[in-house]
Amino acid sequence: MDDGGPALFRLVRYWSRRWARGVALETGDDASVPQHVLVVDAVDALRRTGGEVTIGQVARQLGLDRSGASRMVAAAAEKGYLEQRRAHSDARRSVVALTAAGQDLLDQSHQWQRAKFVELTAGWSSSDRATFARYLERLARDVEA
C-alpha cells in the first residue's frame, strides 16, 4: 500500500507552524513575525499568478475568512511588510503588495527553508535529494494550479 498521503500530512502538521516560527527566531523579531511570514508568503504566491492581489484572494490562500485575512494584512502593513492601496481596475477594492521589507522577510524565510531541507536530507545522496526536490516542486506547482 502507498502511504504517501498520511506521510505527507504528518509532514504538513509538523511544519505548518514551525517554519514561520523558525524564521522569526532567526530574525530576532517580535512574536508576531510568524503571522507576517504566512501572509507575506501568501501574497507572494498570489502575485506570481499575475494581476493585483486582493484581500479576498489572501483569505482563500490562507484558508481564513476575509476579516481574519484583512487583520493579518493590516498588521503586516503596519510593520512595513505589505502595502495596501486602491485597485487600478476598481477603486472600491483594496489590493496588497510586498514592500522591500516584505521581500527581505520572504527572502529570509526561503533561506531558512532551504537550510532546513538540506539539514533534513543531510544523510541522503545528492541524487535522492535532487529527485525529492523536483517531486516536491512538481507537487507544489500542481497544488497551486
Side-chain angles (χ1 to χ4, degrees):
M1 173 189 284
D2 184 0
D3 276 347
L8 174 64
F9 282 87
R10 283 196 318 270
L11 287 171
V12 168
R13 185 175 53 253
Y14 181 83
W15 286 106
S16 64
R17 300 271 181 208
R18 285 174 175 84
W19 72 271
R21 191 170 42 240
V23 172
L25 291 173
E26 289 192 11
T27 62
D29 211 331
D30 63 58
S32 63
V33 166
Q35 95 170 14
H36 300 323
V37 171
L38 293 172
V39 74
V40 164
D41 191 61
V43 170
D44 179 61
L46 289 162
R47 83 172 170 169
R48 285 184 275 123
T49 65
E52 296 177 318
V53 176
T54 66
I55 291 176
Q57 290 172 312
V58 173
R60 283 188 297 281
Q61 182 80 9
L62 293 173
L64 300 173
D65 62 23
R66 191 179 188 298
S67 68
S70 181
R71 285 191 299 275
M72 287 181 74
V73 166
E78 186 175 306
K79 290 296 270 186
Y81 299 125
L82 298 174
E83 66 177 5
Q84 285 184 267
R85 55 181 162 68
R86 293 286 168 212
H88 294 294
S89 60
D90 182 350
R92 296 170 295 174
R93 293 180 356 154
S94 178
V95 294
V96 183
L98 291 177
T99 63
Q103 186 62 54
D104 287 345
L105 182 64
L106 185 66
D107 292 345
Q108 290 172 2
S109 172
H110 290 169
Q111 181 180 8
W112 186 87
Q113 291 166 4
R114 287 182 185 101
K116 284 298 168 189
F117 182 80
V118 169
E119 180 183 314
L120 291 169
T121 58
W124 297 18
S125 70
S126 60
S127 173
D128 283 350
R129 182 182 293 132
T131 299
F132 186 55
R134 280 194 312 275
Y135 287 150
L136 283 172
E137 188 59 40
R138 179 177 156 189
L139 180 61
R141 276 193 316 271
D142 289 351
V143 167
E144 290 173 341

